[in-house]
Amino acid sequence: MNHALLSLAPAACASLLLYGSVAMAANPTSSGSCEDGAANMADVRACLSERNKNQVKEAYAALSVKIKARMPQASAALEESQRNWVLFARNSCDFYAEFNAESMLREDARSNCWTDFTRARTKVLKAWEMQLDKRP
C-alpha cells in the first residue's frame, strides 16, 4: 500500500483512485457492454473498474460541490471520509483476493470486490446528496 496516498489532496486522491493502477480499459460499445470491445478478461476487468470508479467519482464530486457551498464546515470531513474509504476498500479487496485465491483468480476476486465496494459507496454518496437536497 502506498502510504503517500494518505497525504494527497482530495482531488489528487480521487484521480489516483480513478486512474492510478487501471490500465487503459476496453471501450464499451454503444450497447454499453465492456465485453463487446474487450480482447481478453483483463480488458473486461479494466473496463468495469473504470466504469465503477467513474460512478464513485461523479457521486463524490456532486456531493462535494454541494457540501462546499452549503456546509463548508463539513467539507474536510467528507474529504477525509473519501480518503479513508479508498484505503479501506483497497485493503479489503487485497484481503479478499488472497482469501479466495484457491477458488478463483485473484484478479477476478479483486474486481468483484471493487465492484461491490464502488456500488455501495456510490449509493451512500448519492443518499447523502439527497439528504442534503432535502434540507432548507
Side-chain angles (χ1 to χ4, degrees), residues 92-109:
S92 295
C93 291
D94 286 347
F95 162 76
Y96 187 76
E98 287 302 316
F99 182 73
N100 288 290
E102 291 182 14
S103 62
M104 64 191 312
L105 292 173
R106 283 180 178 87
E107 295 83 7
D108 288 340

Side-chain angles (χ1 to χ4, degrees), residues 10-93:
C13 182
S15 294
L16 182 58
L17 167 66
L18 296 172
Y19 305 109
S21 61
V22 177
M24 289 303 291
N27 292 323
T29 62
S30 60
S31 69
S33 172
C34 288
E35 294 175 353
D36 291 346
N40 54 47
M41 282 306 296
D43 288 348
V44 172
R45 284 189 296 271
C47 176
L48 292 171
S49 179
E50 280 298 306
R51 182 177 291 164
N52 291 333
K53 290 175 185 179
N54 283 334
Q55 289 175 354
V56 172
K57 178 183 177 186
E58 290 168 11
Y60 175 79
L63 176 60
S64 181
V65 166
K66 290 179 180 181
I67 288 287
K68 286 177 183 176
R70 297 183 59 199
M71 298 181 69
Q73 74 281 7
S75 182
L78 175 64
E79 291 170 1
E80 183 177 358
S81 169
Q82 189 68 8
R83 281 192 301 269
N84 289 334
W85 175 82
V86 170
L87 293 174
F88 175 69
R90 187 169 286 154
N91 289 337
S92 295
C93 291

